[in-house]
Amino acid sequence: MSAISVRNLVKKFGNLTAVDGISFDVRKGEIFGFLGPNGAGKTTTINILVTLMRPTSGEAYVAGYNVVEDPVRVREKIGIVFQDPSVDRNLTGWENLYIHGLIYGLKGEELRRRVEESLEFAELTKFRDVEVKNYSGGMIRRLEIARGLMHKPEILFLDEPTIGLDPQTRAKIWEYVERLREEAGVTVFLTTHYIEEAERLCDRVAIIDHGKIVAIGSPDELKQEIGGDVIYIRVGDHSSAARLLEGLQNNGMIISHRELNGVLALSVNNASKVIPTVFEAASMMGIRIEEIKYTQPSLSDVFLHYTGREIRDEEADWREGIRMRHRMR
Ligand SMILES: Nc1ncnc2c1ncn2[C@@H]1O[C@H](COP(=O)(O)OP(=O)(O)OP(=O)(O)O)[C@@H](O)[C@H]1O
């Protein structure tokens, strides 16, 4: 039996179809990622799976229970960590866990033991009696994840677990999530719009865009599916990049392209055949190539391949900035 099974799931808000007929399975014990830009439908899907929202149509089973027909059973089997901080900043780490345990019906010695174990697992024992407002962003996240695990759920849902955290803290959270799977045997379903997060952490990834799954598989499988190489050419500015692209586009060698701050990225079948043509075109147009390199495609190239767009956009960065400011308050 799969840990999660979703069939033709649809969620509409008025005229907007936030989740548009998705189907997928999450295997027991895997770290499964939902990767997509802001607004793609990731949080809506999580909300349906954790029984906070009813789907418009379709079916979803979590730990074998139907999310609409058996929401109480589903909730017993899952832990949830939302995007925005939800711990009480005026309480200590210990107090936050203790109260959460009480809500879940734990009592006496059992509750105290579980709180200690959770603090230990989150490497927060030293800070157990410190008010959460004095914790760093990474410590708060670890506390929230530990809290989501206190009632020993089979499946843990993490909505954007590292949003707004710096790269070093992000890497620590990844290690922590891996440890959960290895030591606690929990199935993890997470959403993210960070490519590196999906690539580093997930056994399998579903790429979601405009409410639809555009690709699903292990990061390696997805990259192999699109095949080919990506050539990065630094020419210094946008107009040179645009001119060079125009000069290259007629030769039929470019599968897709994108440009960011004067760096042109070209998806091609065989980089070693295309690179001489790039130099030729640049020299004919008087464009100086500052740097050129090529790599196998990344998950970001997979997204570009299936959607024709970058996974990150300015709006996402802007919204994330707002969120971070909100979190700092
Ligand atoms: N309660 C709601 N009412 C109306 N529209 C909604 C509601 N919740 C989400 N939406 C819309 O549905 C779409 C999908 O949103 P969703 O939050 O699921 O995306 P997401 O991929 O999780 O992005 P984010 O990380 O920004 O939350 C968006 O266009 C959003 O504006």
Side-chain angles (χ1 to χ4, degrees), residues 232-245 259 261-264 278 282 287-291:
Y232 295 92
I233 310 154
R234 182 186 295 283
V235 287
D237 62 69
H238 170 73
S239 77
S240 308
R243 277 201 302 133
L244 180 59
L245 180 65
E259 188 246 317
N261 301 331
V263 179
L264 195 58
V278 172
I287 296 170
R288 199 174 81 84
I289 293 179
E290 294 170 6
E291 190 185 350

Side-chain angles (χ1 to χ4, degrees), residues 29-308:
E30 77 177 340
I31 302 180
F32 185 88
F34 238 41
L35 174 69
N38 289 107
K42 305 182 298 292
T43 302
T44 305
T45 307
I46 275 211
N47 283 341
I48 295 171
L49 295 177
V50 303
T51 77
L52 288 177
M53 202 180 255
R54 286 173 78 92
T56 306
S57 62
E59 286 186 332
Y61 292 84
V62 172
Y65 297 106
N66 186 302
V67 294
V68 175
E69 287 160 15
D70 267 326
V72 177
R73 285 279 159 82
V74 170
R75 282 178 214 166
E76 282 166 8
K77 301 281 183 192
I78 62 173
I80 317 167
V81 181
F82 292 110
Q83 244 175 66
D84 292 312
S86 58
V87 281
D88 193 323
R89 293 168 55 81
N90 292 316
L91 298 180
T92 65
W94 188 92
E95 288 165 342
N96 267 288
L97 294 178
Y98 189 84
I99 290 171
H100 183 82
L102 280 179
I103 295 169
Y104 270 89
L106 296 169
K107 286 194 285 270
E109 251 328 285
E110 164 83 353
L111 170 57
R112 282 172 192 281
R113 192 170 44 79
R114 208 66 79 74
V115 171
E116 297 308 331
E117 276 172 13
S118 302
L119 284 167
E120 179 91 34
F121 197 73
E123 295 176 8
L124 290 172
T125 305
K126 264 204 302 197
F127 307 94
R128 47 177 290 157
D129 298 323
V130 175
E131 286 176 0
V132 169
K133 62 180 165 220
N134 299 311
Y135 281 21
S136 67
M139 286 160 77
I140 293 181
R141 270 289 86 170
R142 296 208 304 276
L143 180 67
E144 287 176 321
I145 296 174
R147 192 183 60 169
L149 286 167
M150 267 188 74
H151 59 288
K152 306 225 158 151
E154 286 176 21
I155 304 162
L156 182 68
F157 288 89
L158 300 173
D159 195 8
E160 296 274 5
T162 64
I163 197 164
L165 298 178
D166 62 81
Q168 213 182 340
T169 312
R170 186 170 291 164
K172 274 212 88 174
I173 297 286
W174 293 344
E175 281 170 24
Y176 180 57
V177 173
E178 276 170 345
R179 212 144 56 75
L180 292 182
R181 189 255 307 266
E182 276 148 33
E183 292 173 25
V186 184
T187 304
V188 180
F189 180 97
L190 65 90
T191 73
T192 186
H193 68 276
Y194 295 122
I195 306 273
E196 328 86 82
E197 183 153 297
E199 196 140 24
R200 161 68 212 281
L201 200 55
C202 297
D203 299 308
R204 286 192 312 135
V205 176
I207 297 184
I208 177 162
D209 186 37
H210 295 306
K212 285 189 158 68
I213 290 178
V214 295
I216 191 164
S218 71
D220 279 346
E221 278 165 10
L222 292 177
K223 287 185 265 178
Q224 274 162 22
E225 254 170 45
I226 66 166
D229 301 316
V230 183
I231 309 176
Y232 295 92
I233 310 154
R234 182 186 295 283
V235 287
D237 62 69
H238 170 73
S239 77
S240 308
R243 277 201 302 133
L244 180 59
L245 180 65
E246 210 178 301
L248 289 168
Q249 257 172 340
N250 296 332
N251 68 18
M253 289 170 150
I254 298 166
I255 302 165
S256 62
H257 63 84
R258 67 194 146 113
E259 188 246 317
L260 192 69
N261 301 331
V263 179
L264 195 58
L266 306 175
S267 293
V268 299
N269 277 328
N270 184 339
S272 50
K273 288 215 168 116
V274 181
I275 287 174
T277 319
V278 172
F279 278 111
E280 233 167 75
S283 116
M284 268 170 55
M285 283 185 267
I287 296 170
R288 199 174 81 84
I289 293 179
E290 294 170 6
E291 190 185 350
I292 192 161
K293 62 179 180 184
Y294 77 90
T295 61
Q296 299 283 304
S298 65
L299 272 188
S300 157
D301 301 308
V302 174
F303 186 81
L304 180 73
H305 175 86
Y306 284 109
T307 67

